[in-house]
Short mmCIF file of all heavy atoms in Angstrom, two decimals:
data_model
loop_
_atom_site.label_atom_id
_atom_site.label_comp_id
_atom_site.label_asym_id
_atom_site.label_seq_id
_atom_site.Cartn_x
_atom_site.Cartn_y
_atom_site.Cartn_z
N GLU Z 211 69.06 -22.94 -13.06
CA GLU Z 211 70.42 -22.87 -13.35
C GLU Z 211 70.96 -21.44 -13.07
O GLU Z 211 71.93 -21.14 -12.52
CB GLU Z 211 70.74 -23.45 -14.66
CG GLU Z 211 72.24 -23.40 -15.05
CD GLU Z 211 73.01 -24.53 -14.31
OE1 GLU Z 211 72.38 -25.47 -13.76
OE2 GLU Z 211 74.28 -24.43 -14.32
N ALA Z 212 70.16 -20.58 -13.66
CA ALA Z 212 70.51 -19.05 -13.66
C ALA Z 212 70.50 -18.60 -12.08
O ALA Z 212 71.30 -17.87 -11.61
CB ALA Z 212 69.56 -18.22 -14.50
N MET Z 213 69.48 -19.12 -11.41
CA MET Z 213 69.35 -18.80 -10.00
C MET Z 213 70.48 -19.29 -9.22
O MET Z 213 71.06 -18.65 -8.34
CB MET Z 213 68.01 -19.28 -9.39
CG MET Z 213 67.76 -19.01 -8.04
SD MET Z 213 66.09 -19.48 -7.48
CE MET Z 213 66.20 -21.28 -7.67
N SER Z 214 70.90 -20.57 -9.50
CA SER Z 214 72.01 -21.18 -8.82
C SER Z 214 73.29 -20.45 -9.06
O SER Z 214 74.11 -20.30 -8.20
CB SER Z 214 72.10 -22.68 -9.20
OG SER Z 214 70.94 -23.37 -8.83
N GLU Z 215 73.43 -19.95 -10.28
CA GLU Z 215 74.65 -19.27 -10.67
C GLU Z 215 74.73 -17.98 -9.84
O GLU Z 215 75.75 -17.58 -9.39
CB GLU Z 215 74.62 -18.93 -12.14
CG GLU Z 215 75.97 -18.43 -12.62
CD GLU Z 215 75.99 -18.27 -14.17
OE1 GLU Z 215 75.22 -18.97 -14.82
OE2 GLU Z 215 76.81 -17.43 -14.67
N ALA Z 216 73.54 -17.26 -9.76
CA ALA Z 216 73.56 -15.98 -9.00
C ALA Z 216 73.82 -16.27 -7.48
O ALA Z 216 74.58 -15.44 -6.88
CB ALA Z 216 72.12 -15.37 -9.14
N VAL Z 217 73.41 -17.31 -6.94
CA VAL Z 217 73.72 -17.76 -5.60
C VAL Z 217 75.19 -18.02 -5.45
O VAL Z 217 75.75 -17.60 -4.43
CB VAL Z 217 72.82 -18.99 -5.14
CG1 VAL Z 217 73.37 -19.61 -3.84
CG2 VAL Z 217 71.40 -18.60 -5.04
N ALA Z 218 75.82 -18.75 -6.33
CA ALA Z 218 77.15 -19.01 -6.28
C ALA Z 218 77.99 -17.72 -6.31
O ALA Z 218 79.04 -17.63 -5.55
CB ALA Z 218 77.60 -19.93 -7.40
N GLU Z 219 77.58 -16.76 -7.09
CA GLU Z 219 78.29 -15.49 -7.06
C GLU Z 219 78.14 -14.60 -5.83
O GLU Z 219 78.96 -13.83 -5.45
CB GLU Z 219 77.94 -14.71 -8.30
CG GLU Z 219 78.27 -15.34 -9.63
CD GLU Z 219 77.88 -14.52 -10.86
OE1 GLU Z 219 77.18 -13.44 -10.69
OE2 GLU Z 219 78.10 -14.92 -11.96
N ALA Z 220 77.02 -14.91 -5.09
CA ALA Z 220 76.75 -14.15 -3.89
C ALA Z 220 77.43 -14.71 -2.72
O ALA Z 220 77.60 -13.99 -1.72
CB ALA Z 220 75.26 -14.03 -3.73
N ASP Z 221 77.68 -16.00 -2.75
CA ASP Z 221 78.20 -16.71 -1.52
C ASP Z 221 79.42 -17.56 -1.82
O ASP Z 221 79.35 -18.48 -2.58
CB ASP Z 221 77.05 -17.63 -0.93
CG ASP Z 221 77.38 -18.19 0.40
OD1 ASP Z 221 78.46 -18.66 0.63
OD2 ASP Z 221 76.48 -18.13 1.26
N GLU Z 222 80.55 -17.15 -1.28
CA GLU Z 222 81.84 -17.73 -1.56
C GLU Z 222 81.83 -19.30 -1.27
O GLU Z 222 82.36 -20.10 -1.84
CB GLU Z 222 83.03 -17.01 -0.87
CG GLU Z 222 83.21 -15.62 -1.46
CD GLU Z 222 84.38 -15.03 -0.78
OE1 GLU Z 222 85.11 -15.68 -0.04
OE2 GLU Z 222 84.63 -13.77 -1.01
N GLU Z 223 81.20 -19.59 -0.13
CA GLU Z 223 81.11 -20.96 0.33
C GLU Z 223 80.48 -21.92 -0.63
O GLU Z 223 80.69 -23.02 -0.79
CB GLU Z 223 80.43 -21.09 1.74
CG GLU Z 223 81.23 -20.40 2.87
CD GLU Z 223 80.44 -20.54 4.23
OE1 GLU Z 223 79.62 -21.44 4.29
OE2 GLU Z 223 80.69 -19.67 5.12
N LEU Z 224 79.43 -21.35 -1.35
CA LEU Z 224 78.64 -22.07 -2.29
C LEU Z 224 79.31 -22.03 -3.69
O LEU Z 224 78.80 -22.84 -4.51
CB LEU Z 224 77.17 -21.61 -2.33
CG LEU Z 224 76.41 -21.72 -0.95
CD1 LEU Z 224 75.04 -20.98 -1.14
CD2 LEU Z 224 76.27 -23.16 -0.56
N PHE Z 225 80.28 -21.26 -3.84
CA PHE Z 225 80.81 -21.04 -5.17
C PHE Z 225 81.44 -22.35 -5.72
O PHE Z 225 81.22 -22.89 -6.77
CB PHE Z 225 81.95 -20.03 -5.09
CG PHE Z 225 82.62 -19.61 -6.49
CD1 PHE Z 225 81.88 -18.73 -7.27
CD2 PHE Z 225 83.71 -20.13 -6.84
CE1 PHE Z 225 82.46 -18.39 -8.54
CE2 PHE Z 225 84.31 -19.89 -8.08
CZ PHE Z 225 83.64 -18.90 -8.95
N GLU Z 226 82.26 -23.02 -4.85
CA GLU Z 226 82.99 -24.26 -5.23
C GLU Z 226 81.92 -25.40 -5.46
O GLU Z 226 82.13 -26.18 -6.39
CB GLU Z 226 83.90 -24.76 -4.18
CG GLU Z 226 85.18 -23.71 -4.10
CD GLU Z 226 86.16 -24.25 -3.08
OE1 GLU Z 226 86.10 -25.34 -2.60
OE2 GLU Z 226 87.09 -23.46 -2.77
N LYS Z 227 80.95 -25.40 -4.62
CA LYS Z 227 79.82 -26.47 -4.79
C LYS Z 227 79.16 -26.45 -6.13
O LYS Z 227 78.94 -27.38 -6.80
CB LYS Z 227 78.87 -26.43 -3.62
CG LYS Z 227 77.89 -27.48 -3.59
CD LYS Z 227 76.99 -27.43 -2.42
CE LYS Z 227 76.03 -28.64 -2.44
NZ LYS Z 227 75.10 -28.59 -1.32
N PHE Z 228 78.89 -25.17 -6.55
CA PHE Z 228 78.21 -24.93 -7.82
C PHE Z 228 79.06 -25.42 -9.00
O PHE Z 228 78.66 -26.12 -9.92
CB PHE Z 228 77.93 -23.47 -7.93
CG PHE Z 228 77.26 -23.09 -9.36
CD1 PHE Z 228 75.98 -23.47 -9.57
CD2 PHE Z 228 78.01 -22.43 -10.28
CE1 PHE Z 228 75.46 -23.12 -10.80
CE2 PHE Z 228 77.43 -22.15 -11.53
CZ PHE Z 228 76.17 -22.48 -11.76
N PHE Z 229 80.37 -25.06 -8.99
CA PHE Z 229 81.21 -25.39 -10.09
C PHE Z 229 81.73 -26.82 -10.04
O PHE Z 229 82.34 -27.32 -11.00
CB PHE Z 229 82.35 -24.45 -10.21
CG PHE Z 229 82.03 -23.14 -10.80
CD1 PHE Z 229 81.70 -22.03 -10.01
CD2 PHE Z 229 81.89 -23.07 -12.22
CE1 PHE Z 229 81.38 -20.80 -10.66
CE2 PHE Z 229 81.50 -21.86 -12.78
CZ PHE Z 229 81.17 -20.78 -12.08
N SER Z 230 81.52 -27.54 -8.99
CA SER Z 230 81.78 -28.95 -8.89
C SER Z 230 80.59 -29.78 -9.42
O SER Z 230 80.64 -30.97 -9.53
CB SER Z 230 82.10 -29.43 -7.55
OG SER Z 230 80.90 -29.30 -6.65
N GLY Z 231 79.51 -29.11 -9.80
CA GLY Z 231 78.37 -29.70 -10.41
C GLY Z 231 77.31 -30.17 -9.41
O GLY Z 231 76.28 -30.83 -9.84
N GLU Z 232 77.50 -29.90 -8.12
CA GLU Z 232 76.53 -30.35 -7.14
C GLU Z 232 75.25 -29.39 -7.07
O GLU Z 232 75.52 -28.13 -7.30
CB GLU Z 232 77.12 -30.36 -5.77
CG GLU Z 232 78.28 -31.44 -5.54
CD GLU Z 232 78.80 -31.46 -4.15
OE1 GLU Z 232 77.95 -31.73 -3.24
OE2 GLU Z 232 79.95 -31.18 -3.97
N GLU Z 233 74.08 -29.84 -6.80
CA GLU Z 233 72.99 -29.01 -6.68
C GLU Z 233 72.85 -28.43 -5.33
O GLU Z 233 73.25 -29.15 -4.30
CB GLU Z 233 71.67 -29.84 -7.06
CG GLU Z 233 71.52 -30.04 -8.50
CD GLU Z 233 70.14 -30.56 -8.86
OE1 GLU Z 233 69.20 -30.42 -7.95
OE2 GLU Z 233 69.90 -30.98 -9.94
N PHE Z 234 72.38 -27.20 -5.22
CA PHE Z 234 72.13 -26.62 -3.91
C PHE Z 234 70.86 -27.19 -3.26
O PHE Z 234 69.92 -27.58 -3.99
CB PHE Z 234 71.98 -25.17 -4.02
CG PHE Z 234 73.22 -24.39 -4.49
CD1 PHE Z 234 73.08 -23.45 -5.48
CD2 PHE Z 234 74.43 -24.82 -4.02
CE1 PHE Z 234 74.27 -22.74 -5.94
CE2 PHE Z 234 75.58 -24.15 -4.43
CZ PHE Z 234 75.45 -23.12 -5.34
N THR Z 235 70.92 -27.34 -1.98
CA THR Z 235 69.72 -27.64 -1.19
C THR Z 235 68.75 -26.38 -1.16
O THR Z 235 69.25 -25.26 -1.41
CB THR Z 235 70.01 -28.10 0.28
OG1 THR Z 235 70.53 -26.95 0.92
CG2 THR Z 235 70.92 -29.27 0.21
N GLU Z 236 67.48 -26.63 -0.70
CA GLU Z 236 66.56 -25.49 -0.65
C GLU Z 236 67.13 -24.43 0.40
O GLU Z 236 67.09 -23.17 0.13
CB GLU Z 236 65.29 -25.96 -0.17
CG GLU Z 236 64.17 -24.93 -0.10
CD GLU Z 236 62.76 -25.48 0.21
OE1 GLU Z 236 62.54 -26.66 -0.01
OE2 GLU Z 236 61.95 -24.65 0.78
N LYS Z 237 67.64 -24.88 1.50
CA LYS Z 237 68.17 -23.94 2.55
C LYS Z 237 69.39 -23.16 1.97
O LYS Z 237 69.52 -22.00 2.33
CB LYS Z 237 68.51 -24.75 3.81
CG LYS Z 237 67.36 -25.15 4.52
CD LYS Z 237 67.68 -25.75 5.94
CE LYS Z 237 66.46 -26.14 6.78
NZ LYS Z 237 66.80 -26.69 8.15
N GLU Z 238 70.25 -23.81 1.17
CA GLU Z 238 71.40 -23.21 0.67
C GLU Z 238 70.93 -22.14 -0.33
O GLU Z 238 71.56 -21.03 -0.37
CB GLU Z 238 72.28 -24.18 -0.03
CG GLU Z 238 73.13 -25.03 0.93
CD GLU Z 238 73.83 -26.14 0.28
OE1 GLU Z 238 73.49 -26.59 -0.82
OE2 GLU Z 238 74.89 -26.58 0.87
N LEU Z 239 69.89 -22.34 -1.13
CA LEU Z 239 69.44 -21.46 -2.15
C LEU Z 239 68.90 -20.17 -1.41
O LEU Z 239 69.13 -19.02 -1.73
CB LEU Z 239 68.38 -22.00 -3.01
CG LEU Z 239 68.78 -22.99 -4.09
CD1 LEU Z 239 67.59 -23.67 -4.64
CD2 LEU Z 239 69.60 -22.23 -5.14
N ILE Z 240 68.10 -20.40 -0.28
CA ILE Z 240 67.59 -19.30 0.47
C ILE Z 240 68.67 -18.56 1.06
O ILE Z 240 68.63 -17.28 1.01
CB ILE Z 240 66.59 -19.87 1.54
CG1 ILE Z 240 65.26 -20.47 0.86
CG2 ILE Z 240 66.21 -18.73 2.52
CD1 ILE Z 240 64.51 -21.17 1.83
N ARG Z 241 69.66 -19.25 1.65
CA ARG Z 241 70.78 -18.49 2.29
C ARG Z 241 71.60 -17.59 1.24
O ARG Z 241 71.83 -16.47 1.50
CB ARG Z 241 71.80 -19.52 2.93
CG ARG Z 241 72.80 -18.79 3.82
CD ARG Z 241 73.80 -19.89 4.28
NE ARG Z 241 74.78 -20.15 3.31
CZ ARG Z 241 75.57 -21.23 3.34
NH1 ARG Z 241 75.47 -22.18 4.23
NH2 ARG Z 241 76.56 -21.36 2.36
N GLY Z 242 71.76 -18.19 0.13
CA GLY Z 242 72.59 -17.51 -0.88
C GLY Z 242 71.88 -16.29 -1.50
O GLY Z 242 72.33 -15.20 -1.67
N ILE Z 243 70.54 -16.55 -1.76
CA ILE Z 243 69.76 -15.45 -2.37
C ILE Z 243 69.54 -14.37 -1.28
O ILE Z 243 69.76 -13.12 -1.60
CB ILE Z 243 68.30 -15.91 -2.75
CG1 ILE Z 243 68.46 -16.84 -3.93
CG2 ILE Z 243 67.45 -14.77 -3.19
CD1 ILE Z 243 67.22 -17.60 -4.27
N LYS Z 244 69.34 -14.68 -0.01
CA LYS Z 244 69.19 -13.65 1.00
C LYS Z 244 70.41 -12.83 1.14
O LYS Z 244 70.40 -11.58 1.34
CB LYS Z 244 68.89 -14.31 2.42
CG LYS Z 244 68.67 -13.34 3.47
CD LYS Z 244 68.27 -13.99 4.80
CE LYS Z 244 68.06 -12.92 5.85
NZ LYS Z 244 67.56 -13.61 7.16
N LYS Z 245 71.62 -13.51 0.99
CA LYS Z 245 72.91 -12.87 1.11
C LYS Z 245 73.05 -11.88 -0.11
O LYS Z 245 73.56 -10.69 0.03
CB LYS Z 245 74.06 -13.78 1.12
CG LYS Z 245 75.42 -13.27 1.60
CD LYS Z 245 76.40 -14.44 1.80
CE LYS Z 245 77.68 -13.86 2.34
NZ LYS Z 245 78.73 -14.89 2.58
N GLY Z 246 72.64 -12.37 -1.25
CA GLY Z 246 72.77 -11.45 -2.47
C GLY Z 246 71.80 -10.32 -2.46
O GLY Z 246 72.10 -9.23 -2.87
N VAL Z 247 70.60 -10.53 -1.88
CA VAL Z 247 69.62 -9.48 -1.77
C VAL Z 247 70.12 -8.34 -0.77
O VAL Z 247 70.07 -7.17 -1.12
CB VAL Z 247 68.26 -9.98 -1.21
CG1 VAL Z 247 67.38 -8.83 -0.84
CG2 VAL Z 247 67.58 -10.87 -2.25
N LYS Z 248 70.71 -8.78 0.25
CA LYS Z 248 71.27 -7.81 1.18
C LYS Z 248 72.43 -6.94 0.57
O LYS Z 248 72.56 -5.72 0.74
CB LYS Z 248 71.81 -8.46 2.47
CG LYS Z 248 72.34 -7.57 3.49
CD LYS Z 248 72.88 -8.28 4.70
CE LYS Z 248 73.54 -7.26 5.72
NZ LYS Z 248 74.10 -7.99 6.88
N ALA Z 249 73.28 -7.67 -0.28
CA ALA Z 249 74.39 -7.07 -0.90
C ALA Z 249 74.01 -6.24 -2.04
O ALA Z 249 74.86 -5.37 -2.60
CB ALA Z 249 75.44 -8.06 -1.24
N GLY Z 250 72.78 -6.46 -2.56
CA GLY Z 250 72.41 -5.74 -3.85
C GLY Z 250 72.65 -6.41 -5.08
O GLY Z 250 72.45 -5.89 -6.23
N SER Z 251 73.34 -7.67 -4.98
CA SER Z 251 73.70 -8.33 -6.23
C SER Z 251 72.62 -9.24 -6.74
O SER Z 251 72.62 -9.67 -7.87
CB SER Z 251 74.93 -9.20 -5.96
OG SER Z 251 74.67 -10.16 -5.01
N ILE Z 252 71.56 -9.43 -5.98
CA ILE Z 252 70.38 -10.25 -6.39
C ILE Z 252 69.10 -9.49 -6.12
O ILE Z 252 68.90 -9.02 -5.06
CB ILE Z 252 70.26 -11.59 -5.72
CG1 ILE Z 252 71.47 -12.42 -6.18
CG2 ILE Z 252 69.02 -12.33 -6.09
CD1 ILE Z 252 71.53 -13.85 -5.48
N THR Z 253 68.18 -9.39 -7.17
CA THR Z 253 66.94 -8.76 -6.99
C THR Z 253 65.93 -9.85 -7.41
O THR Z 253 65.64 -10.07 -8.56
CB THR Z 253 66.73 -7.48 -7.87
OG1 THR Z 253 67.75 -6.53 -7.71
CG2 THR Z 253 65.39 -6.83 -7.55
N PRO Z 254 65.30 -10.43 -6.44
CA PRO Z 254 64.31 -11.51 -6.70
C PRO Z 254 63.00 -11.04 -7.39
O PRO Z 254 62.67 -9.88 -7.23
CB PRO Z 254 63.94 -12.05 -5.26
CG PRO Z 254 64.92 -11.59 -4.39
CD PRO Z 254 65.37 -10.27 -4.88
N VAL Z 255 62.47 -11.81 -8.26
CA VAL Z 255 61.21 -11.50 -8.91
C VAL Z 255 60.18 -12.54 -8.52
O VAL Z 255 60.42 -13.78 -8.81
CB VAL Z 255 61.41 -11.51 -10.46
CG1 VAL Z 255 60.10 -11.01 -11.14
CG2 VAL Z 255 62.52 -10.48 -10.83
N VAL Z 256 59.02 -12.15 -8.03
CA VAL Z 256 57.91 -13.02 -7.78
C VAL Z 256 56.67 -12.52 -8.60
O VAL Z 256 56.78 -11.47 -9.18
CB VAL Z 256 57.55 -13.02 -6.30
CG1 VAL Z 256 58.66 -13.68 -5.43
CG2 VAL Z 256 57.18 -11.72 -5.74
#
Side-chain angles (χ1 to χ4, degrees):
E211 181 73 12
M213 180 174 63
S214 298
E215 187 175 340
V217 166
E219 292 178 0
D221 192 314
E222 291 182 10
E223 292 181 21
L224 299 175
F225 186 82
E226 291 184 11
K227 185 175 182 178
F228 175 74
F229 280 99
S230 67
E232 295 183 60
E233 285 195 11
F234 295 138
T235 65
E236 184 176 337
K237 287 189 175 180
E238 286 173 334
L239 285 170
I240 291 172
R241 188 186 86 197
I243 294 173
K244 183 175 181 178
K245 196 169 184 179
V247 170
K248 182 184 175 183
S251 61
I252 295 178
T253 307
V255 183
V256 296

